[in-house]
Amino acid sequence: MRNGFKQLFIGFLFVFIKIHIIVDLLPDFIGYIFVYNGIKQIATLSSQPYKKLKVLLIILVIISVPNFFLNDQVIQLNEWLGYYSTLLSLLKVILIYLLFALLQEVASQLPYKEGFISTKRMFYWYMAIALPSLFIQSFLMNTTFDNSITGSILIVVFMLIIEISFLVYLNNMRKRYPKNAIYEGYA
């Protein structure tokens, strides 16, 4: 179980960090492969099938491959590629939504309620920030330049905070499970 959360942490860290020197040094598609492996390990404790997560992660792996070669400046220069980053953001929010459904079920099996409560709280905060951010981004181009800059900065700051909080949450959940791979004692 710890290894599953470790895989999720590494995968979302790859997706979060962008170091672009000719190509992305921490490619998103590798991160989504880590996320897939983590979900596969965590889903063994769940009665819920994770087919939707599996299909969505395969789609994200395929769609995020061009992100390995394209930097943000090239994406912004092309009108059609401008929708590419929005599509990736939207698919990531859907992934997080489905992932939290799985994590809430797994956290409810813990012998104490703290893990379940922190999972539910993280889910609400993440969705409360990510969904309005996606919604507001589509309207920023129609506002004045000052409002557009202010809104963009606020969205970046809020998303940065929630992404770091999500990574900390995954690391804390990893620590809640025993070091040995035996989880049956908690069921």
Side-chain angles (χ1 to χ4, degrees):
M1 184 55 61
R2 285 176 73 101
N3 193 34
F5 279 102
K6 183 179 178 183
Q7 296 278 325
L8 284 177
F9 178 81
I10 292 170
F12 281 111
L13 192 64
F14 268 62
V15 173
F16 177 65
I17 296 176
K18 297 244 183 273
I19 302 172
H20 212 92
I21 304 173
I22 301 174
V23 294
D24 191 1
L25 297 180
L26 298 172
D28 291 354
F29 68 92
I30 301 281
Y32 289 124
I33 292 170
F34 274 112
V35 171
Y36 175 78
N37 289 332
I39 287 173
K40 195 165 58 172
Q41 292 176 13
I42 291 171
T44 58
L45 297 175
S46 172
S47 60
Q48 169 186 342
Y50 66 102
K51 286 186 178 186
K52 291 178 185 175
L53 277 169
K54 181 180 175 181
V55 170
L56 183 60
L57 280 164
I58 291 170
I59 291 169
L60 276 165
V61 166
I62 293 168
I63 289 178
S64 64
V65 168
N67 213 14
F68 176 64
F69 302 105
L70 300 173
N71 62 12
D72 290 336
Q73 289 79 23
V74 172
I75 291 173
Q76 290 175 357
L77 289 177
N78 190 328
E79 183 178 336
W80 288 103
L81 285 178
Y83 297 113
Y84 176 72
S85 59
T86 305
L87 175 67
L88 281 177
S89 299
L90 181 62
L91 289 175
K92 184 180 175 199
V93 169
I94 295 170
L95 168 69
I96 298 290
Y97 176 81
L98 295 172
L99 176 63
F100 269 112
L102 175 68
L103 292 179
Q104 285 178 5
E105 184 177 340
V106 170
S108 68
Q109 296 175 8
L110 286 170
Y112 43 85
K113 293 290 181 198
E114 186 180 309
F116 180 73
I117 292 169
S118 69
T119 300
K120 207 164 192 66
R121 185 181 312 126
M122 187 68 221
F123 170 71
Y124 289 139
W125 276 107
Y126 194 96
M127 289 301 152
I129 291 174
L131 289 176
S133 295
L134 280 173
F135 182 72
I136 292 170
Q137 283 176 1
S138 62
F139 292 107
L140 283 178
M141 67 181 83
N142 297 324
T143 62
T144 63
F145 182 73
D146 292 338
N147 291 338
S148 176
I149 294 296
T150 304
S152 296
I153 290 172
L154 287 174
I155 287 172
V156 166
V157 168
F158 284 137
M159 286 305 294
L160 184 67
I161 290 169
I162 201 65
E163 290 290 339
I164 292 171
S165 299
F166 180 63
L167 288 171
V168 169
Y169 159 79
L170 288 174
N171 194 38
N172 288 339
M173 284 301 287
R174 180 185 60 86
K175 292 177 183 176
R176 292 174 198 245
Y177 290 92
K179 287 187 181 183
N180 55 9
I182 301 170
Y183 181 76
E184 289 79 20
Y186 282 96

